[in-house]
Amino acid sequence: MTTEQLLAFCAFAVITLVTPGPNNMMVLASGLNYGFVRTLPHLAGIAFGFALMVFLTGAGLHTVFVRLPVIHTVLKYVGAAYLLWLAWHLARSGPMDDERRGRERPMGFIGAAAFQWVNPKAWVMAVGAISTYLPNASHLPDVALLAVIYGMLGAPCIGLWAGFGVAMRRVLTDARSVRIFNGVAAALLVASLYPILVE
């Protein structure tokens, strides 16, 4: 890749990582409910899981979807069903007292990494990155470079959403406001499916 292509890809990666999507809505809620430190394994899992997805997609996984598009369709709808379940769970959750916050666990590293494989936006991003920036047969080092860039940029970009959730804890001081916030976050999680499911 040329320097110009690399800079263009970095801009693309930041934009796709920062814009609202399922990962961002989930870490926003996690930041509010569990705090930033306890959300770090979730952030690391997203960064690692998505970087691995980009690498495997670039290494040839996308050809499986070209030959068997039903697999992509099944993954898309399984992911959508899982996101709807998460949104329902989030919408029903109320504020956490210290005891509940200590007892319950936010999504961890493995769960967040595995979630990327059923995250419709992640598939669109991975396939889009590979087809746009490595449209021809590319060497594995080029594919690995894109994956590493996504991995390095993933945690800080998505971490902004967790930080926003933490900041909201200072504003949302009563049970009613926390329930409203969780309901809005759940609605945004559902809304994030719209552009993906209508493609």
Side-chain angles (χ1 to χ4, degrees):
M1 291 181 75
T2 66
T3 303
E4 292 78 14
Q5 289 172 320
L6 193 58
L7 290 174
F9 173 73
C10 288
F12 173 84
V14 168
I15 290 166
T16 55
L17 289 165
V18 168
T19 52
N23 283 324
N24 296 337
M25 292 303 105
M26 289 182 356
V27 298
L28 173 71
S30 183
L32 170 71
N33 292 307
Y34 300 106
F36 193 82
V37 172
R38 293 186 69 195
T39 301
L40 286 174
H42 190 163
L43 292 171
I46 291 170
F48 175 79
F50 185 65
L52 179 61
M53 176 188 281
V54 169
F55 179 76
L56 293 176
T57 300
L61 187 60
H62 69 287
T63 59
V64 174
F65 293 136
V66 171
R67 292 182 182 167
L68 298 168
V70 69
I71 295 175
H72 185 259
T73 303
V74 167
L75 280 172
K76 183 165 65 170
Y77 286 106
V78 166
Y82 182 63
L83 285 172
L84 290 173
W85 179 83
L86 286 173
W88 177 76
H89 183 70
L90 178 60
R92 294 182 62 237
S93 66
M96 292 196 176
D97 56 24
D98 289 339
E99 179 186 340
R100 184 178 164 205
R101 191 173 286 119
R103 186 176 66 246
E104 294 189 7
R105 297 278 176 247
M107 185 176 282
F109 179 88
I110 299 295
F115 172 70
Q116 303 318 301
W117 297 93
V118 294
N119 179 352
K121 183 185 176 189
W123 280 111
V124 170
M125 289 167 56
V127 172
I130 295 301
S131 60
T132 302
Y133 292 94
L134 299 175
N136 304 316
S138 299
H139 300 292
L140 279 183
D142 291 331
V143 174
L145 178 61
L146 295 192
V148 167
I149 290 171
Y150 255 127
M152 290 174 58
L153 294 175
C157 287
I158 297 169
L160 293 172
W161 288 86
F164 180 63
V166 171
M168 293 302 293
R169 290 172 85 171
R170 297 186 185 98
V171 178
L172 305 176
T173 56
D174 61 279
R176 182 174 178 272
S177 61
V178 171
R179 283 194 183 92
I180 291 171
F181 178 85
N182 284 344
V184 169
L188 291 172
L189 188 57
V190 172
S192 72
L193 290 171
Y194 176 77
I196 294 154
L197 295 178
V198 298
E199 67 174 4

